[in-house]
Amino acid sequence: MEFKVGKKVTMETTKKNTKKKEKHENLKEKRSDELKKKKLSKKLQKKPKEKKVRSSLQKIKLIDDDEEAEKLSQNSDYYSEEEETSGDELHVKGDGVSPSSTVVARKRGDANTSGGDNDDNDSFHSAEESDSSEDEVAPRNTIGEVPLEFYKDEEHIGYDVIGRKIKKKDRKDKLDAFLANVDDKKSWRRFIDEYNDEEVELTKKETKMINRILKGKTPHADVNPYEPYVDWFVWEGKGHPLSNAPEPKRRFIPSKSEAKKIKKYVRAFREGRITFDKPKEKEKVYLLWGDDSSSSGKTRGLSYIPPPKAKLPGHEEAYNPSLEYIPTQEEINSYQLMYEEDRPTFIPTRYTSLRSVPAYANFLKELFARCLDLYLCPRVIKKRVNIDPESLKKKLPDPKDLRPYPTTCYIEYKGHSGAVVTISTDSSGQWIASGSTDGTVRVWEVATGRCVRVWEIGSSIRQVAWNPSPDLPILALSVDQDVLILDTGLGSEEEQGKIKDLLHMQKSTISDESSDAAIVSWLSDDKLGGLRLKHSKTVTSIEWHRKGDYLSTVIPAGESRAIMIHQLSRKGSQRIPFKLHGLPVSTAFHPLRSIFFISTKKNVRVYDLLKEKMIKKIDTGLREVSCIAVHPGGDNVIIGSREGKLCWFDMDLSSVKPYANLKIHKKDITNVSFHRSYPLFASCSEDGLAYVFHGMVYSDLNQNPLIVPLRILQEKNGILDCKFHPRQPWLFTAGANSVIRLYCH
């Protein structure tokens, strides 16, 4: 057991001994460490029961035996000389104490007085009686946690217990230290304690302890770490546990701190701040001299195919087979009647001995055939791939997740006596206009199905188009060679005043651009209350610009086939400054930019109206184009054909190969349409079917559009036109049975 005794210095003793301290102060500083070691070694030699003093650590180890302690206390010379070395430490070690445990006794500097011996004896006895179990040795330097860097430029490194400066010792040169360590075998056990400025030498026992600690063993070899457990509590006869307190709440309530740590790790996993090491790929091992047929991996060059094994000879090929294998003469004659392919190549015969067996007649022939088989054998193994046809289908989302879209018929608009050829909705979605072969144009209220206005034109209506501007509720319709612009009378008083000024015309105007005769003439129609644009040939299609001031018309017939653009505010018309390549079918304005689409029977050309040049040409690959529609974003176009095909073209991708080619209708596609706000588009045909699709176009250019078929709307007769509601996911269809239907979600 280790004891630590500290010397107490009182005020009275310090006053008495001040004079003595001054006398012996110079003598104490001159004494070197070597004299101290010699004196200590002499004293220890006189006392055989004492252990050696560690000169390097300045420790004196005392034994716990009472008799030895009394002898040491009686020896006044020993203590008087030791008192002169003030600030030194006495390290006492008992018989049953570990090597690292020490006892420290501090001495006063004024040890010459007789009272000093008594004080030291008292301190020694108090050290024996103390029950301190500290294993640390009191340092000679008392600066505490002050860094040694603060004393870098000073001559001392700190202060001892009394307060005197501990001067720095002269260090050897590196070369001198190296030469000294070469001759000294114990140099590897020495190291310098910079804190106390001492050279420490480890004993053999301490080095053994350090080696055991490095190996993960206990410091002392006598300690048994696997001693049996001794249960100090007696459990028998006890009816109650050690503690009858209720279980704490933390045992059955989840820990909040652990939940926070788990969230922290989960967030780090998701953000990629914590990653796991990928498993290393195993090196492919193969037999260097093994058979190639056994290797399952792919090999370079021709794959090895083992030669087919020849049939082993049987009993019938023996030189003396049994009688059951030998054919009769009738069987031999029957072989002649067989085909050569079915005829047996070998007829068994009997011989008395093996020496009488003749040479095989077909030996060379069969050997040559065998060589041909090996030479002409195909060197490629064709493996049949078993693929499930369902796995080849593209996985599409469930249509229930893509709602809303039109599914059921909600309202039927009846009033026309002939087939409804064309329909159009206004920008607000409150009104819908329809044109029929009976020569009438009707305006309906969408919500109620009430017919608000009827115009008797007297001729079959080809197309009806509502002005997209919400401030101009006017209607444009094409009848034979005329385009009529009519006032619906549905706007407010201010809007009606603007419309009257817009449709008012003082005199008729004729377009200046004409080769032989005027193509378009502007006239006022007093009977219908609007304007009449008289063309030289039949007008098949009309299309409004998004601002509502320009109108395009298609005149495909005659030698003067042309596409005209009319300006309503100036009452003027002009041809497009582009050459037409083929018979024009329909036109479309870009919803955002000044780009114009012209579709012919084979191609679709895209023109820039400001720069007056062609941007792109789309080769549809269809037999005949019937209609086109531009996506509200302007980068995608759907094209319908007379053969029932629907093509989706992405303007940023190839202009030859469509992104999607859908063969959905059996007859001609009459119209295709995009919804303005919802990702929907539809197509209708003369077969009485209208298909509704989900067409999502993503802003990310790396992601392709998503096309999903949603619904098939069927009618008895053909569907001649279809239009979406501008604000709701509703679809209007114009049937050949003179009925307009509204399909809602």
Side-chain angles (χ1 to χ4, degrees), residues 395-403 405 694 708-710:
K395 293 182 180 180
L396 299 175
D398 191 1
K400 294 180 181 179
D401 300 334
L402 304 176
R403 291 176 179 175
Y405 55 86
H694 173 86
V708 182
L710 297 176

mmCIF file of all heavy atoms in Angstrom, residues 395-403 405 694 708-710:
data_model
loop_
_atom_site.group_PDB
_atom_site.id
_atom_site.type_symbol
_atom_site.label_atom_id
_atom_site.label_comp_id
_atom_site.label_asym_id
_atom_site.label_seq_id
_atom_site.Cartn_x
_atom_site.Cartn_y
_atom_site.Cartn_z
ATOM 1 N N LYS A 395 -43.813 -0.193 -68.790
ATOM 2 C CA LYS A 395 -44.610 -0.009 -67.580
ATOM 3 C C LYS A 395 -45.170 1.406 -67.545
ATOM 4 O O LYS A 395 -44.415 2.378 -67.540
ATOM 5 C CB LYS A 395 -43.753 -0.278 -66.342
ATOM 6 C CG LYS A 395 -43.319 -1.740 -66.212
ATOM 7 C CD LYS A 395 -42.518 -1.958 -64.942
ATOM 8 C CE LYS A 395 -42.097 -3.417 -64.822
ATOM 9 N NZ LYS A 395 -41.307 -3.663 -63.587
ATOM 10 N N LEU A 396 -46.479 1.494 -67.546
ATOM 11 C CA LEU A 396 -47.169 2.779 -67.551
ATOM 12 C C LEU A 396 -47.878 2.973 -66.221
ATOM 13 O O LEU A 396 -48.266 2.005 -65.560
ATOM 14 C CB LEU A 396 -48.179 2.839 -68.700
ATOM 15 C CG LEU A 396 -47.609 2.710 -70.114
ATOM 16 C CD1 LEU A 396 -48.721 2.674 -71.141
ATOM 17 C CD2 LEU A 396 -46.658 3.851 -70.420
ATOM 18 N N PRO A 397 -48.063 4.211 -65.807
ATOM 19 C CA PRO A 397 -48.792 4.445 -64.555
ATOM 20 C C PRO A 397 -50.267 4.084 -64.692
ATOM 21 O O PRO A 397 -50.821 4.004 -65.801
ATOM 22 C CB PRO A 397 -48.590 5.944 -64.308
ATOM 23 C CG PRO A 397 -48.274 6.517 -65.647
ATOM 24 C CD PRO A 397 -47.549 5.448 -66.393
ATOM 25 N N ASP A 398 -50.899 3.871 -63.572
ATOM 26 C CA ASP A 398 -52.311 3.525 -63.541
ATOM 27 C C ASP A 398 -53.138 4.739 -63.959
ATOM 28 O O ASP A 398 -52.904 5.852 -63.467
ATOM 29 C CB ASP A 398 -52.693 3.082 -62.130
ATOM 30 C CG ASP A 398 -54.092 2.460 -62.096
ATOM 31 O OD1 ASP A 398 -54.718 2.364 -63.168
ATOM 32 O OD2 ASP A 398 -54.547 2.079 -61.004
ATOM 33 N N PRO A 399 -54.123 4.587 -64.867
ATOM 34 C CA PRO A 399 -54.938 5.741 -65.265
ATOM 35 C C PRO A 399 -55.681 6.397 -64.102
ATOM 36 O O PRO A 399 -56.005 7.593 -64.174
ATOM 37 C CB PRO A 399 -55.925 5.138 -66.289
ATOM 38 C CG PRO A 399 -55.221 3.939 -66.831
ATOM 39 C CD PRO A 399 -54.427 3.400 -65.685
ATOM 40 N N LYS A 400 -55.934 5.641 -63.030
ATOM 41 C CA LYS A 400 -56.610 6.246 -61.872
ATOM 42 C C LYS A 400 -55.745 7.325 -61.227
ATOM 43 O O LYS A 400 -56.269 8.263 -60.634
ATOM 44 C CB LYS A 400 -56.941 5.156 -60.861
ATOM 45 C CG LYS A 400 -57.972 4.153 -61.358
ATOM 46 C CD LYS A 400 -58.261 3.107 -60.301
ATOM 47 C CE LYS A 400 -59.280 2.078 -60.812
ATOM 48 N NZ LYS A 400 -59.551 1.025 -59.793
ATOM 49 N N ASP A 401 -54.419 7.185 -61.340
ATOM 50 C CA ASP A 401 -53.521 8.176 -60.753
ATOM 51 C C ASP A 401 -53.371 9.407 -61.625
ATOM 52 O O ASP A 401 -52.750 10.387 -61.186
ATOM 53 C CB ASP A 401 -52.137 7.548 -60.529
ATOM 54 C CG ASP A 401 -52.201 6.354 -59.601
ATOM 55 O OD1 ASP A 401 -53.139 6.311 -58.773
ATOM 56 O OD2 ASP A 401 -51.327 5.463 -59.704
ATOM 57 N N LEU A 402 -53.911 9.369 -62.869
ATOM 58 C CA LEU A 402 -53.758 10.485 -63.808
ATOM 59 C C LEU A 402 -55.038 11.294 -63.949
ATOM 60 O O LEU A 402 -55.172 12.065 -64.902
ATOM 61 C CB LEU A 402 -53.326 9.953 -65.179
ATOM 62 C CG LEU A 402 -52.048 9.112 -65.187
ATOM 63 C CD1 LEU A 402 -51.782 8.580 -66.575
ATOM 64 C CD2 LEU A 402 -50.852 9.921 -64.698
ATOM 65 N N ARG A 403 -55.965 11.107 -63.061
ATOM 66 C CA ARG A 403 -57.193 11.900 -63.110
ATOM 67 C C ARG A 403 -56.895 13.349 -62.771
ATOM 68 O O ARG A 403 -55.920 13.636 -62.079
ATOM 69 C CB ARG A 403 -58.209 11.313 -62.121
ATOM 70 C CG ARG A 403 -58.737 9.940 -62.537
ATOM 71 C CD ARG A 403 -59.657 9.384 -61.474
ATOM 72 N NE ARG A 403 -60.186 8.070 -61.865
ATOM 73 C CZ ARG A 403 -60.939 7.303 -61.081
ATOM 74 N NH1 ARG A 403 -61.241 7.715 -59.863
ATOM 75 N NH2 ARG A 403 -61.377 6.137 -61.506
ATOM 76 N N TYR A 405 -59.793 13.387 -66.136
ATOM 77 C CA TYR A 405 -59.887 13.339 -67.588
ATOM 78 C C TYR A 405 -61.328 12.946 -67.942
ATOM 79 O O TYR A 405 -62.041 12.352 -67.123
ATOM 80 C CB TYR A 405 -58.889 12.334 -68.186
ATOM 81 C CG TYR A 405 -58.989 10.935 -67.638
ATOM 82 C CD1 TYR A 405 -59.878 10.009 -68.179
ATOM 83 C CD2 TYR A 405 -58.190 10.529 -66.580
ATOM 84 C CE1 TYR A 405 -59.971 8.722 -67.689
ATOM 85 C CE2 TYR A 405 -58.272 9.241 -66.079
ATOM 86 C CZ TYR A 405 -59.162 8.345 -66.633
ATOM 87 O OH TYR A 405 -59.255 7.081 -66.138
ATOM 88 N N HIS A 694 -53.107 10.833 -71.955
ATOM 89 C CA HIS A 694 -52.335 11.667 -71.025
ATOM 90 C C HIS A 694 -50.990 11.950 -71.681
ATOM 91 O O HIS A 694 -50.209 11.026 -71.933
ATOM 92 C CB HIS A 694 -52.145 10.941 -69.686
ATOM 93 C CG HIS A 694 -51.232 11.662 -68.731
ATOM 94 N ND1 HIS A 694 -51.671 12.641 -67.874
ATOM 95 C CD2 HIS A 694 -49.898 11.535 -68.508
ATOM 96 C CE1 HIS A 694 -50.657 13.084 -67.162
ATOM 97 N NE2 HIS A 694 -49.571 12.430 -67.521
ATOM 98 N N VAL A 708 -49.800 8.166 -72.154
ATOM 99 C CA VAL A 708 -50.559 7.055 -71.561
ATOM 100 C C VAL A 708 -51.988 7.109 -72.106
ATOM 101 O O VAL A 708 -52.651 8.151 -71.973
ATOM 102 C CB VAL A 708 -50.584 7.139 -70.028
ATOM 103 C CG1 VAL A 708 -51.334 5.946 -69.444
ATOM 104 C CG2 VAL A 708 -49.172 7.205 -69.474
ATOM 105 N N PRO A 709 -52.497 6.046 -72.733
ATOM 106 C CA PRO A 709 -53.913 6.048 -73.155
ATOM 107 C C PRO A 709 -54.829 5.954 -71.931
ATOM 108 O O PRO A 709 -54.611 5.134 -71.038
ATOM 109 C CB PRO A 709 -54.016 4.802 -74.033
ATOM 110 C CG PRO A 709 -52.880 3.930 -73.612
ATOM 111 C CD PRO A 709 -51.790 4.825 -73.138
ATOM 112 N N LEU A 710 -55.846 6.807 -71.913
ATOM 113 C CA LEU A 710 -56.718 6.893 -70.744
ATOM 114 C C LEU A 710 -58.130 6.354 -71.005
ATOM 115 O O LEU A 710 -58.626 5.521 -70.244
ATOM 116 C CB LEU A 710 -56.816 8.360 -70.278
ATOM 117 C CG LEU A 710 -55.519 9.012 -69.808
ATOM 118 C CD1 LEU A 710 -55.758 10.479 -69.480
ATOM 119 C CD2 LEU A 710 -54.944 8.291 -68.611
#
